[in-house]
Amino acid sequence: MALVIALNRGRILKQCLALLAKVGIEPVEDMDASRKLIFQTRSQGHKLVIMRGSDVPTYVEYGAADVGITGKDTLLESASSSGYYERLDLKIGRCRIMTAVPKGTASVAASVAGPLRVATKFVKVSRDYFERQGLQVSIIRLAGTMEIAPSMDLADCIVDLVDTGDTLKANGLEPRETIAEITSRLIVNRASMKTKFDEVEDFVEALRSVVNSS
Ligand code: PRP
């Protein structure tokens, strides 16, 4: 039975495919030249499915995919993690979840009256973080482009992914605290660990040796 692998579309897909190629898993056709989302592989023992990162845990949790690769940020936010195991840190897609404020702000908490308005798509992570800080916040959920929220006076600060920091800088913001270090992780459906034990273990161990040797 083919192992179904859910992959995060977007900026880490290329790095994921390079990793998979190193363990002998390659799509039969050029992904860039196709609008398809499901790809057979040359090895035939695997099937690749491309989706939004936030859907990867859902597909794996319900067993529609046996394994999945997505960012730790997505796993931290996902509603439930009871249906899958996190098996491997793939050490790609490295970035941080950080707080960021308008450039030059001394202390954002001191500069606002009332609860701090925080714009983010990382609602769970942010709520936990500010609670640990003992700060009263009002979380404003956005799907993206958090960077403009402070200048539009929607929020006092944001919580977002930071890689190079260029996006923050270009929007008049500066990074402050790191909330979590992020990399891509391999997750495995709980049932597939039993029903496809050999396929899953072969796949995990092959990836582990590639990751450890790079
Ligand atoms: C992420 C993140 C920032 C940007 C940070 O967005 O939300 O906007 O990357 O990268 P930088 O520090 O190198 O500038 P992404 O491009 O992944 O798209 P998204 O808005 O869909 O999350």
Side-chain angles (χ1 to χ4, degrees):
M1 243 191 310
L3 199 68
V4 181
I5 306 171
L7 298 176
N8 193 340
R9 75 176 192 208
R11 70 160 86 183
I12 66 160
L13 182 59
K14 271 211 160 63
Q15 291 175 73
C16 273
L17 292 174
L19 259 186
L20 292 175
K22 285 186 184 164
V23 301
I25 300 171
E26 288 180 279
V28 288
E29 57 193 302
D30 180 6
M31 282 185 175
D32 290 335
S34 171
R35 297 286 296 164
K36 274 191 195 170
L37 297 170
I38 301 179
F39 294 86
Q40 303 300 327
T41 56
R42 293 185 215 285
S43 58
Q44 291 180 351
H46 306 90
K47 193 153 82 177
L48 305 178
V49 190
I50 312 301
M51 61 187 71
R52 283 183 80 109
S54 53
D55 289 336
V56 170
T58 309
Y59 272 78
V60 176
E61 168 129 33
Y62 285 94
D66 299 300
V67 301
I69 296 176
T70 192
K72 181 68 180 176
D73 54 319
T74 301
L75 300 180
L76 289 171
E77 281 297 313
S78 85
S80 149
S81 57
S82 58
Y84 61 80
Y85 295 107
E86 188 182 316
R87 289 290 305 272
L88 199 57
D89 181 347
L90 297 170
K91 300 187 178 158
I92 57 172
R94 201 174 282 282
C95 55
R96 283 145 285 149
I97 298 179
M98 298 190 75
T99 62
V101 296
K103 197 166 181 293
T105 308
S107 162
V108 74
S111 63
V112 296
L116 197 65
R117 297 169 304 157
V118 181
T120 189
K121 65 176 173 187
F122 301 110
V123 171
K124 239 164 109 176
V125 168
S126 302
R127 193 165 282 140
D128 289 353
Y129 171 75
F130 286 106
E131 207 170 280
R132 286 199 305 276
Q133 304 294 306
L135 278 177
Q136 248 213 314
V137 295
S138 158
I139 307 274
I140 300 158
R141 184 194 293 271
L142 290 177
T145 57
M146 278 76 83
E147 294 85 0
I148 58 172
S151 66
M152 302 278 294
D153 198 27
L154 178 65
D156 304 303
C157 72
I158 67 167
V159 170
D160 196 9
L161 288 178
V162 179
D163 177 13
T164 60
D166 290 349
T167 308
L168 291 182
K169 205 167 165 196
N171 290 285
L173 301 175
E174 59 188 29
R176 285 287 159 91
E177 283 87 31
T178 296
I179 300 180
E181 298 282 348
I182 302 301
T183 46
S184 295
R185 308 295 164 98
L186 175 72
I187 57 172
V188 181
N189 171 264
R190 282 173 77 106
S192 301
M193 296 267 287
K194 297 194 180 99
T195 56
K196 295 187 181 176
F197 180 82
D198 290 338
E199 294 93 328
V200 167
E201 290 310 310
D202 287 352
F203 180 63
V204 173
E205 291 316 315
L207 274 179
R208 191 192 305 280
S209 72
V210 167
V211 169
N212 288 343
S213 68
S214 60

